[in-house]
Amino acid sequence: SARDPKQIDDLYHAAINGRGEMLNATTPQGIAAAMLAAIDDIQSKTESAAPVSFNTTTLRSGSLVFQSSFDAADWTGELNAISLALDTTGSITGLTKEWSATTGSAFTTDNKGLDERNYTSRKIVTHNGTNGVDFTWSNLTNAQKNDFRAGSGVNDAQAKARLEYIRGHQGCESTYSGPQSCSFADGSNTFNSQSMRNRNSLLGDIVHSSPTFVGAPVTRYPDDIEGVNLYSTFAASKKNRRGIVYVGANDGMLHAFDADNDGQEIFAYIPSMLYSNDSGEGLHTLTDPVYTHNYYVDLTATAADVFVGGSWKTYLVGGLRGGGKGIFALDVTDPASLASNPQNAIKWEYSSSDSAFADLGHSFSKIQIGRMNNGKWAAILGNGYNNQGDGSAKLFIVYLDGSSPKILSTGVGTPTNLNGLSTPEIVDFNGDGNIDRIYAGDLHGNMWAFDVTGTESSWSRSYGATPLFRACADAGCINPQPITSKPTVARHPIKRENATAPNLMVYFGTGQYIATTDNGTSDQQTFYGIWDSGNAVSDRSVLQPQTMTTAVYRTLSDDPVNYSTPISSSTEYGWYIDLDSTERVTVDALALGDVVFFNTMLPPTSTCGYGGSGWLMVVDQLNGGEPAFPTVDINGDGVVDIHDTVAGTVIGGIKSGDIPSDVTILPNYRFDNNPASATAIKPTGEKPSGRMSWTGLERK
């Protein structure tokens, strides 16, 4: 069937593989045209694409792992809470599903699951442009009502029935087993045609939104970061706070599920940026019986304890990813208040229609939250892709108190050669809790460093118009390597001289999987470790290459890097590893202890192909070579020791049968998007868990 060319298409390529919306990254037209395969070619397959998350920063028996998933056959989703069983050595010995968001407890029939409850008892809220309001017809603005009126000859009775469908009423679905009536809660109108899309579940597909758990405060802030308003006092007051899991779904909602009460939905929030009466867009499209798929709330939300308005609070900041060009903030400090009056939680919404946010695109950027050197708490993100402003890559510093944002432009990109900034990494040099430096890559292969010390008026790119490094594999940089994942940053393992400050290592991979032609691309992609010595790095000619040997496992060369000082013509500024043909890095890496963990992907060979795979990599931080000691359990005995080598060689990569998600570490284990595939690890020099929400760098 024909597809709307404005619609993000996600057949096998993006949905079953769970790895990318079809966005045109180089033209101003925005979202790319439909792919060639018909929707009828999709086979039923449940996938988990987003990383798992946890209710703890330490591994112990009873710890919960939260796993989201989707089924491309009917575009439904699921969120499962899975408990871990450990033996006396700390090894995982079993997994038990405790509850699911749709059916409630795995052990009882408790009617707490979303599909088990009467939909009229749900608390769903939205924003009317001024305030948070209950999601009912009378509370919507006329423009929002027009979303439900969209289409030829749709009267208000039909529009109200569509709204009730979004709320969860299934009487208009032809296969619904209950009474076949489209009358809705207030009983004032009836639309007597069972013509809306059939649903097997009220929870929409969850593709890229990883669950975000908010429980007792555990962040390691300096206690007096806000003077006499001690963080420890706030943390103590919330030490027994009920655990809530937040996850975005492509049913148009951010859902809040009670982790301590069998996963019951506490409330759901519909961002106002989603309303549209355009064909193929808006909430009304979800009711269409020939609906294929749209993205709505598809970005992982970020939660952090913050000091706003004179007191400590917990804020949740999220966005839409491929679902739109907007971000939002909720105050989620008090679960009891959320359960009774969730409309009051909505603090603000911004979209590209707001003048200050005209350069905001489809931001795939995972939002970072922290305290700036001007004393304000902010959400920090890249402007994303397909922005309709001046086309350049920009860093957004969005103040949580609602004051005007600070926007730092890279100056690279035009309306005819669009650029976009990806997820930033935020760094605190001195442990005072303030963000001092921000790193982020863009689609043109630039890794930027931003200096945000001092006063706000002085914040700028660290090296003027020059990036820290431009990723290119070819002479002349005709084909720059796009950077779409977040860098990870660590203190340089051996350099401490003031002359080469800040002496940070910036680790990142290149490659993208967001445009229709991406999976067929065989351009050389690379993983880099760049020394920020206070100087921009010219090109890869001043880096030390390492090579890979691939068999059952991957092994690495181990050539030294000449980090000589004083700086001279022989000084090397880091290292790189070229990946295999079509291989790329599109998910976030993690520097931990003395090593860097990163995951690569190998997409399916055809445009709408099925499957894909990747490699789970671990390399030495100093030179990108073979780790000094075994780091990963490869023989499956749950212990990392000398037996986890191949012919005496420490391995650098393990093949994954699926496309891996972000690297996720809970002490002693490396997790992917499937908790059953957790692998024991032992990075040397491991840092303690429970660190701040940004990289706090302490001298060793």
Side-chain angles (χ1 to χ4, degrees):
S1 59
R3 303 292 300 265
D4 185 340
K6 293 183 179 180
Q7 180 180 341
I8 294 175
D9 197 306
D10 51 359
L11 304 171
Y12 283 147
H13 180 65
I16 291 193
N17 294 315
R19 281 302 179 277
E21 290 79 350
M22 298 296 96
L23 299 184
N24 186 325
T26 58
T27 65
Q29 280 72 32
I31 302 169
M35 298 165 65
L36 299 177
I39 192 68
D40 292 340
D41 291 334
I42 290 185
Q43 299 176 2
S44 176
K45 183 174 175 66
T46 299
E47 285 288 316
S48 297
V52 297
S53 59
F54 308 91
N55 70 339
T56 179
T57 57
T58 59
L59 191 62
R60 60 181 182 270
S61 285
S63 296
L64 290 180
V65 180
F66 301 106
Q67 180 190 35
S68 59
S69 63
F70 65 95
D71 189 335
D74 60 358
W75 302 119
T76 56
E78 185 60 281
L79 175 70
N80 289 316
I82 301 166
S83 63
L84 304 177
L86 277 66
D87 62 19
T88 56
T89 68
S91 297
I92 297 175
T93 58
L95 304 171
T96 302
K97 187 172 81 169
E98 299 292 335
W99 54 258
S100 80
T102 60
T103 60
S105 171
F107 306 105
T108 63
T109 304
D110 57 12
N111 295 321
K112 292 178 182 176
L114 186 58
D115 293 340
E116 307 296 327
R117 298 169 58 191
N118 187 321
Y119 87 96
T120 60
S121 68
R122 296 179 68 187
K123 289 185 177 293
I124 305 175
V125 296
T126 189
H127 199 268
N128 65 8
T130 304
N131 300 302
V133 295
D134 289 335
F135 179 62
T136 60
W137 183 260
S138 61
N139 284 323
L140 298 187
T141 67
N142 193 58
Q144 291 170 339
K145 291 176 180 178
N146 285 339
D147 181 341
F148 298 102
R149 294 165 173 152
S152 177
V154 177
N155 60 36
D156 273 8
Q158 296 166 326
K160 292 177 181 178
R162 282 174 165 176
L163 181 144
E164 291 302 312
Y165 174 99
I166 299 299
R167 287 185 50 82
H169 184 40
Q170 294 189 270
C172 295
E173 302 172 30
S174 61
T175 60
Y176 178 55
S177 59
Q180 291 297 306
S181 170
C182 288
S183 60
F184 48 89
D186 65 8
S188 61
N189 289 281
T190 301
F191 177 35
N192 294 312
S193 174
Q194 283 71 54
S195 60
M196 297 188 196
R197 177 172 67 97
N198 294 313
R199 293 172 290 186
N200 293 322
S201 172
L202 297 186
L203 184 59
D205 58 283
I206 306 170
V207 180
H208 299 103
S209 180
S210 180
T212 299
F213 176 81
V214 177
V218 294
T219 312
R220 298 174 63 223
Y221 294 134
D223 198 22
D224 60 351
I225 188 173
E226 290 295 342
V228 298
N229 300 288
L230 298 181
Y231 177 69
S232 60
T233 302
F234 168 75
S237 71
K238 300 296 180 184
K239 66 179 181 179
N240 296 317
R241 182 164 57 184
R242 183 169 40 166
I244 307 293
V245 185
Y246 300 88
V247 67
N250 295 312
D251 53 18
M253 302 181 193
L254 174 82
H255 298 268
F257 296 106
D258 190 338
D260 299 336
N261 192 17
D262 293 340
Q264 180 173 342
E265 184 189 62
I266 299 299
F267 75 94
Y269 156 62
I270 298 175
S272 67
M273 299 83 76
L274 294 174
Y275 294 95
S276 173
N277 57 0
D278 290 343
S279 177
E281 299 182 12
L283 298 174
H284 74 274
T285 299
L286 288 164
T287 72
D288 192 333
V290 296
Y291 169 83
T292 51
H293 187 262
N294 279 0
Y295 287 99
Y296 288 89
V297 187
D298 199 46
L299 183 70
T300 299
T302 299
D305 300 325
V306 299
F307 193 81
V308 178
S311 64
W312 283 100
K313 301 177 176 69
T314 303
Y315 269 38
L316 184 91
V317 184
L320 307 182
R321 206 173 190 270
K325 301 175 181 180
I327 58 174
F328 53 81
L330 307 181
D331 181 343
V332 296
T333 309
D334 183 4
S337 176
L338 294 172
S340 58
N341 295 294
Q343 69 277 7
N344 296 336
I346 308 170
K347 306 310 295 182
W348 47 254
E349 295 182 332
Y350 299 123
S351 73
S352 59
S353 62
D354 297 308
S355 58
F357 291 82
D359 294 300
L360 183 65
H362 286 276
S363 184
F364 290 18
S365 178
K366 296 180 180 67
I367 297 166
Q368 313 296 311
I369 298 177
R371 190 180 193 271
M372 307 302 295
N373 276 291
N374 61 1
K376 292 185 176 184
W377 291 76
I380 300 100
L381 65 149
N383 67 324
Y385 316 132
N386 292 326
N387 76 79
Q388 299 300 300
D390 64 15
S392 66
K394 295 186 177 182
L395 180 72
F396 278 74
I397 300 172
V398 184
Y399 295 119
L400 298 182
D401 63 7
S403 56
S404 298
K406 178 70 174 179
I407 300 173
L408 300 177
S409 177
T410 65
V412 176
T414 68
T416 56
N417 188 19
L418 286 179
N419 197 3
L421 203 68
S422 303
T423 300
E425 172 75 311
I426 52 183
V427 178
D428 170 23
F429 286 160
N430 54 13
D432 66 355
N434 294 329
I435 300 166
D436 299 310
R437 204 169 183 83
I438 302 173
Y439 294 91
D442 68 23
L443 290 178
H444 290 192
N446 302 298
M447 176 54 63
W448 298 95
F450 299 90
D451 182 352
V452 290
T453 58
T455 62
E456 181 184 302
S457 61
S458 68
W459 298 348
S460 64
R461 296 165 297 188
S462 296
Y463 304 113
T466 304
L468 168 66
F469 179 72
R470 194 176 191 201
C472 300
D474 59 307
C477 204
I478 305 302
N479 297 299
Q481 299 168 303
I483 303 168
T484 57
S485 57
K486 181 177 76 70
T488 185
V489 178
R491 184 76 68 183
H492 194 291
I494 60 175
K495 305 307 292 187
R496 295 292 183 269
E497 295 94 327
N498 288 332
T500 53
N503 286 314
L504 302 178
M505 290 295 296
V506 184
Y507 305 103
F508 61 94
T510 70
Q512 71 177 44
Y513 199 57
I514 55 177
T516 51
T517 57
D518 281 347
N519 70 322
T521 296
S522 59
D523 293 346
Q524 179 67 65
Q525 303 301 334
T526 305
F527 194 87
Y528 291 96
I530 303 297
W531 175 26
D532 186 352
S533 64
N535 299 284
V537 180
S538 57
D539 55 48
R540 64 161 47 197
S541 69
V542 295
L543 307 178
Q544 172 63 48
Q546 303 290 357
T547 57
M548 299 186 301
T549 300
T550 300
V552 176
Y553 300 104
R554 271 182 172 167
T555 56
L556 298 155
S557 61
D558 200 28
D559 298 316
V561 180
N562 181 20
Y563 293 110
S564 61
T565 50
I567 300 295
S568 69
S569 59
S570 64
T571 299
E572 293 179 311
Y573 293 86
W575 48 265
Y576 68 89
I577 305 168
D578 280 336
L579 306 177
D580 288 348
S581 177
T582 77
E583 188 177 14
R584 66 206 70 180
V585 176
T586 61
V587 294
D588 299 345
L590 180 65
L592 183 66
D594 297 329
V595 295
V596 182
F597 295 94
F598 66 95
N599 296 339
T600 73
M601 69 169 294
L602 290 156
T605 55
S606 64
T607 303
C608 289
Y610 184 91
S613 60
W615 285 87
L616 312 179
M617 302 291 297
V618 56
V619 302
D620 186 81
Q621 283 191 18
L622 183 63
N623 71 344
E626 174 186 302
F629 302 96
T631 301
V632 179
D633 175 24
I634 65 173
N635 64 6
D637 64 358
V639 178
V640 180
D641 54 23
I642 194 62
H643 301 294
D644 294 300
T645 60
V646 176
T649 300
V650 178
I651 63 99
I654 300 174
K655 188 67 181 290
S656 172
D658 299 309
I659 294 176
S661 62
D662 295 343
V663 175
T664 304
I665 302 290
L666 198 63
N668 303 324
Y669 276 90
R670 174 181 184 164
F671 288 82
D672 193 17
N673 43 353
N674 181 0
S677 65
T679 304
I681 60 169
K682 189 179 181 181
T684 58
E686 184 176 347
K687 298 174 184 177
S689 62
R691 64 185 178 88
M692 292 165 55
S693 57
W694 57 92
T695 300
L697 298 173
E698 299 178 358
R699 294 187 182 275
K700 296 179 181 179

